[in-house]
Amino acid sequence: MKKVGVAILGLGVVGGGTYKILAEHKEFYKSNHNLDITVEGVLEKNRGRAIALGIDESKIAESIAEICSNPEVDIVVEVMGGVEPAKSFVLAALNAGKSVVTSNKELYCKYSHELEKAAKKNHCGLFYEASCVGGVPIIRALTDNLQGNRILSMLGIINGTTNYILTKMSNGGASYGEVLDEAKRLGYAEADPSSDVDGYDAAYKLSILSSLAFHTKVPYTEIYREGISEISPLDIAYGKQLGYVLKLLAIGKNTAKGIEVRVHPAFIKAEHPLASVNDSFNAVYLTGDSVEDVMLYGRGAGAKPTGSAIVGDIIYCATHSNFVYSPFENTEKAAPSTKFIKNFESAYYLRIVAADKAGVLSKVTSVFGKLGISMSQIIQEKENSDGAVPLVVITHETYESNINKAVAEINSAAEIAKVAAVIRVVT
Ligand code: HSE
């Protein structure tokens, strides 16, 4: 029986979930994996949390130095979140010869080049399955199982909090604030939920996933990012009428022209498999040149789903001696040869508020015509009580720069027509 000593840094939602899984499955791991996994130390300011989980007080460390100098600890699990002190603690653990398992997407996304350097120097493992898409085994799918492919594209719902909010908004009922509070209560939202709603959390994950998928460093600073805070229930309802569902999508494409990476709200056809990924569930829909389409689906947040990914990494680490690192040169910046496409092509949903006057519709269509933007669907509603007429248009694919010009031109005649919403559409 192999003895494996684990230390957990942080006993919040994920740390607590990890501890419970390890405790509940101790005998199972012994009999099935020949591993005796014991939590030898925890680092948590709130001692009450540790005690409530049933952790012996003797295992509560006072400092990271105490964890690093404990010879019983083989693997340090970092589930604190944020950059500091997590980064210093992870580096201290690696430099003390401990392998590290982390769920920290912000830390891994921003500093994996430094962490990996320390792991290689000290011949330690560095595992991060839990950093992206919670319990869904996407990292190992990319680093191992899908290696026979060139990954051409990736479309993901990779933030549970925003998916929960958008699902509830689509079903009507609770307000944005109420749903966000519920997501916090359920432990999906980050400590600062603006990281979720403004798309940073998804951008960190997309940076990690697209670097692995496309075999080149994709820094998060190259990712176009837009959150969901401007989304109105009115647009969700019009989208539904036209056969679409609104999601916060993470999109990565690897084309002959370059790499395209973006996170933003987008309408997706109601028949698309991602359209039925609801609540805090996440999914990644990948297309590889050999495997074709693959979708991985599951819980992207929460104590035990994320703990499941962490424990998977602990077991992987304990049963593999040859550690593997990023399948690309892991530098801070992108390789000079990597080209990023910024002026991407998309279809668009536009809600235009027009005055109920002759010639307004022809003004709008002439702007589109001049810019070569063709329309695929249109709804013109009855006049509102304030005399305005909502006009909802879905365009065919066009360049982002083109749609920006069209919006500016329509808005230049603001007394007769104004663009109230622009949302990309995935076709
Ligand atoms: N805040 C994240 C989410 C947690 O909502 O998806 C999991 O990374």
Side-chain angles (χ1 to χ4, degrees):
M1 178 85 55
K2 182 174 177 182
K3 281 183 78 64
V4 182
V6 170
I8 306 178
L9 313 184
L11 290 175
V13 174
V14 179
T18 302
Y19 181 80
K20 283 185 191 158
I21 295 174
L22 288 174
E24 286 161 11
H25 294 72
K26 191 168 172 72
E27 294 308 315
F28 177 73
Y29 301 142
K30 277 189 187 169
S31 55
N32 284 280
H33 301 278
N34 214 25
L35 296 176
D36 181 8
I37 307 174
T38 307
V39 175
E40 295 290 353
V42 295
L43 193 60
E44 168 59 56
K45 278 196 210 123
N46 183 344
R47 293 176 76 85
R49 269 189 192 168
I51 294 161
L53 282 164
I55 297 172
D56 194 281
E57 286 209 53
S58 65
K59 302 284 183 194
I60 307 174
E62 294 299 328
S63 65
I64 185 67
E66 200 182 314
I67 300 272
C68 291
S69 61
N70 184 346
E72 301 302 322
V73 172
D74 306 295
I75 300 171
V76 172
V77 172
E78 184 276 306
V79 278
M80 304 166 66
V83 169
E84 281 297 351
K87 181 179 174 221
S88 306
F89 289 4
V90 167
L91 286 172
L94 292 168
N95 288 327
K98 317 285 187 197
S99 286
V100 167
V101 172
T102 180
S103 63
N104 192 332
K105 55 262 171 180
E106 182 177 2
L107 176 64
Y108 194 83
C109 160
K110 291 182 178 169
Y111 295 103
S112 68
H113 56 287
E114 274 186 49
L115 307 183
E116 201 169 84
K117 203 167 154 195
K120 282 182 185 169
K121 190 176 105 204
N122 295 291
H123 310 289
C124 297
L126 177 61
F127 299 90
Y128 50 98
E129 182 67 69
S131 67
C132 296
V133 205
V136 179
I138 179 71
I139 302 280
R140 204 108 59 223
L142 288 170
T143 55
D144 291 358
N145 313 86
L146 292 168
Q147 283 296 305
N149 288 265
R150 270 178 195 279
I151 305 289
L152 308 173
S153 68
M154 192 160 51
L155 210 52
I157 296 172
I158 57 177
N159 181 269
T161 303
T162 48
N163 204 39
Y164 188 75
I165 294 172
L166 291 175
T167 303
K168 298 290 177 225
M169 283 173 80
S170 297
N171 296 341
S175 73
Y176 179 92
E178 280 166 352
V179 186
L180 181 56
D181 284 345
E182 181 69 357
K184 284 190 214 163
R185 196 185 60 74
L186 292 168
Y188 306 149
E190 296 301 301
D192 172 5
S194 69
S195 179
D196 296 299
V197 295
D198 294 333
Y200 287 99
D201 178 84
Y204 298 149
K205 292 168 184 167
L206 181 62
S207 155
I208 298 170
L209 296 177
S210 52
S211 299
L212 293 173
F214 306 146
H215 291 261
T216 190
K217 184 67 177 249
V218 178
Y220 80 102
T221 45
E222 297 290 349
I223 297 176
Y224 175 83
R225 181 196 49 76
E226 222 178 80
I228 63 160
S229 48
E230 302 290 311
I231 293 296
S232 144
L234 193 60
D235 295 309
I236 297 180
Y238 280 132
K240 215 181 224 181
Q241 213 174 312
L242 290 162
Y244 293 92
V245 175
L246 190 79
K247 295 289 178 193
L248 181 73
L249 288 187
I251 301 171
K253 293 184 187 172
N254 190 11
T255 71
K257 289 191 211 152
I259 287 177
E260 192 177 308
V261 268
R262 43 194 169 105
V263 168
H264 52 68
F267 279 118
I268 191 156
K269 286 236 165 72
E271 313 75 84
H272 193 286
L274 286 174
S276 42
V277 175
N278 288 321
D279 298 319
S280 74
F281 280 93
N282 281 195
V284 179
Y285 188 93
L286 289 166
T287 306
D289 63 350
S290 309
V291 69
E292 301 183 9
D293 296 340
V294 171
M295 184 160 119
L296 287 99
Y297 165 88
R299 287 213 178 268
K304 285 200 175 167
T306 312
S308 156
I310 295 207
V311 175
D313 274 352
I314 293 173
I315 293 176
Y316 192 93
C317 178
T319 50
H320 290 73
S321 50
N322 230 353
F323 299 128
V324 288
Y325 303 102
S326 302
F328 56 89
E329 200 181 340
N330 196 353
T331 44
E332 182 183 4
K333 297 204 163 78
S337 56
T338 309
K339 204 165 162 261
F340 291 98
I341 300 171
K342 302 289 180 180
N343 187 19
F344 49 82
E345 284 176 273
S346 176
Y348 293 84
Y349 160 104
L350 283 94
R351 176 164 53 89
I352 299 163
V353 182
D356 192 13
K357 285 185 189 164
V360 175
L361 187 58
S362 71
K363 160 80 189 164
V364 171
T365 51
S366 80
V367 169
F368 285 161
K370 195 171 76 182
L371 292 163
I373 301 171
S374 63
M375 293 184 278
S376 76
Q377 282 168 283
I378 187 160
I379 311 179
Q380 183 172 357
E381 289 282 10
K382 289 202 303 281
E383 184 185 334
N384 288 336
S385 53
D386 58 3
V389 179
L391 186 66
V392 174
V393 174
I394 300 223
T395 73
H396 283 292
E397 285 214 333
T398 185
Y399 285 103
E400 182 87 355
S401 56
N402 238 7
I403 209 78
N404 289 342
K405 276 188 207 151
V407 170
E409 197 152 324
I410 294 169
N411 284 343
S412 71
E415 69 289 353
I416 56 161
K418 197 165 170 310
V419 179
V422 180
I423 299 174
R424 295 165 192 90
V425 177
V426 170
T427 48

